[in-house]
């Protein structure tokens, strides 16, 4: 049998495709991800109890030594941030759904398997004891991929320190006051007990108990954060007439968000699939062009 250059290229292309297909199931099982641990801690926010006093905002800034975000309103100057920012790790906002309104407390959700950690190239964002998503400014390179990866739009950058002369700006986000043995300041000062702190498992049981005890009182008769995006360590209860979406909480799949992206990456690089796939594509193009050239040459003859 005569072995032509074209047959060799075809054989290599076929082998590349076969290797790619054969390795896909192996790579799909490569990711383990973070799992809920028995000592994980978190918070439960019951929006039906919040009166919007914003005592949690003030307490957070005092304990974390954050500067105020003042603005003038109703004849006075108040620390009144409109959203999370480089000076604010915790904020109370008004949520509206049609004619219904309620209050929403925003801070890091401390996801069970966080997307921010998955995209952090330097390991500045990482898990510590208690399932807390912690931040290490010393290793942060300022890429801000965490801002893009977070489905809750939580991490904020200290833009106020970036200009005109850089002052080593950092990412700002809630770390459940892990630097203080007393725990989150926001949970200590809430006069209505709208936000409470404790073990994740206990908080979930308490939230489920409230839903079961009062059917129809809460949105969708369920707890947000139990399964959403693979689960979070911060749970939410919303009034029945204010959807979780109106509260600012996105609709997420049950699987952790990093699962898809990391599986694609692992599949791509397992057994050198990326270069094999590239070589296969180039080979196909080369064969196609070669065929066209030979056909044109015959027609000229």
């Amino acid at each position: 049998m005569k072995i032509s250059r074209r047959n060799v290229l075809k054989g290599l292309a076929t082998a590349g495709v076969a290797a790619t297909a054969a390795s896909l199931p192996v790579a799909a099982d490569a990711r383990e991800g973070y799992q809920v641990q028995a000592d994980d801690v978190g918070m439960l926010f019951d929006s039906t109890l919040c009166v919007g006093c914003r005592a949690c905002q003030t307490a957070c800034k005092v304990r974390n030594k954050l500067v105020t975000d003042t603005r003038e309103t109703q004849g006075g100057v108040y620390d009144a941030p409109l959203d999370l920012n480089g000076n604010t790790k915790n904020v109370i906002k008004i949520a509206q759904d049609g004619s219904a309104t309620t209050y929403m407390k925003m801070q890091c959700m401390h996801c069970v398997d966080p997307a921010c950690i998955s995209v952090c190239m330097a390991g500045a964002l990482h898990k510590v004891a208690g399932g807390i998503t912690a931040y290490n400014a010393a290793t942060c390179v300022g890429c801000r991929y965490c801002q893009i990866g977070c489905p809750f739009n939580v991490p904020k950058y200290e833009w106020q320190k970036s200009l005109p002369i850089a002052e080593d700006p950092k990412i700002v986000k809630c770390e459940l006051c892990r630097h203080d043995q007393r725990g989150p300041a926001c949970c200590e000062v809430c006069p209505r007990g709208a936000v409470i702190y404790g073990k994740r498992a206990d908080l979930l049981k308490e939230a489920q108990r409230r839903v079961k005890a009062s059917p129809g009182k809460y949105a969708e008769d369920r707890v947000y954060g139990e399964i959403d995006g693979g689960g979070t360590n911060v749970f939410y209860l919303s009034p029945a007439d204010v959807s979780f979406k109106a509260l600012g909480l996105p609709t997420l799949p049950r699987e952790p968000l990093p699962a898809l992206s990391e599986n694609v990456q692992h599949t791509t690089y397992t057994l050198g699939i990326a270069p094999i796939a590239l070589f296969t594509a180039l080979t196909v193009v080369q064969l196609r062009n070669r065929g066209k050239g030979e056909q044109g040459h015959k027609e000229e003859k």
Side-chain angles (χ1 to χ4, degrees), residues 42-229:
M43 296 191 293
L44 166 60
F45 177 69
D46 188 337
S47 184
T48 66
L49 299 176
C50 181
V51 294
C53 69
R54 295 180 172 80
C56 57
Q57 282 185 190
T58 303
C60 174
K61 292 211 169 186
V62 171
R63 184 160 297 179
N64 289 282
K65 298 182 172 60
L66 297 169
V67 301
T68 56
D69 185 5
T70 57
R71 62 193 68 251
E72 187 173 348
T73 178
Q74 298 179 342
V77 178
Y78 302 92
D79 179 20
L82 300 178
D83 206 340
L84 299 176
N85 58 49
N87 295 322
T88 305
K89 296 183 177 183
N90 170 76
V91 67
I92 295 292
K93 302 169 68 175
I94 296 178
Q96 185 166 5
D97 194 351
S99 59
T101 60
T102 189
Y103 292 103
M104 168 62 174
K105 180 181 184 296
M106 289 190 67
Q107 74 294 298
C108 178
M109 299 290 284
H110 297 280
C111 301
V112 172
D113 195 351
C116 61
I117 290 180
S118 175
V119 301
C120 184
M121 67 178 77
L125 288 163
H126 56 284
K127 281 283 188 182
V128 296
I132 298 171
T133 302
Y135 172 68
N136 183 358
T139 58
C140 180
V141 297
C143 69
R144 301 187 296 282
Y145 281 172
C146 55
Q147 292 187 290
I148 300 173
C150 176
F152 301 100
N153 193 27
V154 167
K156 300 300 177 187
Y157 191 65
E158 291 180 315
W159 289 106
Q160 71 275 19
K161 292 184 178 179
S162 60
L163 292 173
I165 300 175
E167 298 179 19
D168 193 19
K170 303 182 292 293
I171 289 293
V172 175
K173 65 173 282 301
C174 162
E175 296 182 63
L176 288 178
C177 293
R178 67 186 180 98
H179 62 286
D180 194 304
Q181 294 182 348
R182 292 172 292 180
C186 58
C187 298
E188 288 183 6
V189 300
C190 183
R192 295 288 306 274
V195 60
I196 56 177
Y197 171 73
K199 290 284 185 66
R200 184 184 190 276
D202 296 336
L203 293 171
L204 180 56
K205 287 180 181 177
E206 172 59 19
Q208 292 172 332
R209 184 196 65 77
R210 295 183 190 182
V211 171
K212 187 176 181 180
S214 304
K217 178 180 179 180
Y218 296 105
E220 302 178 23
D221 278 332
R222 76 177 185 95
V223 182
Y224 187 96
E226 180 179 1
I227 58 171
D228 307 83

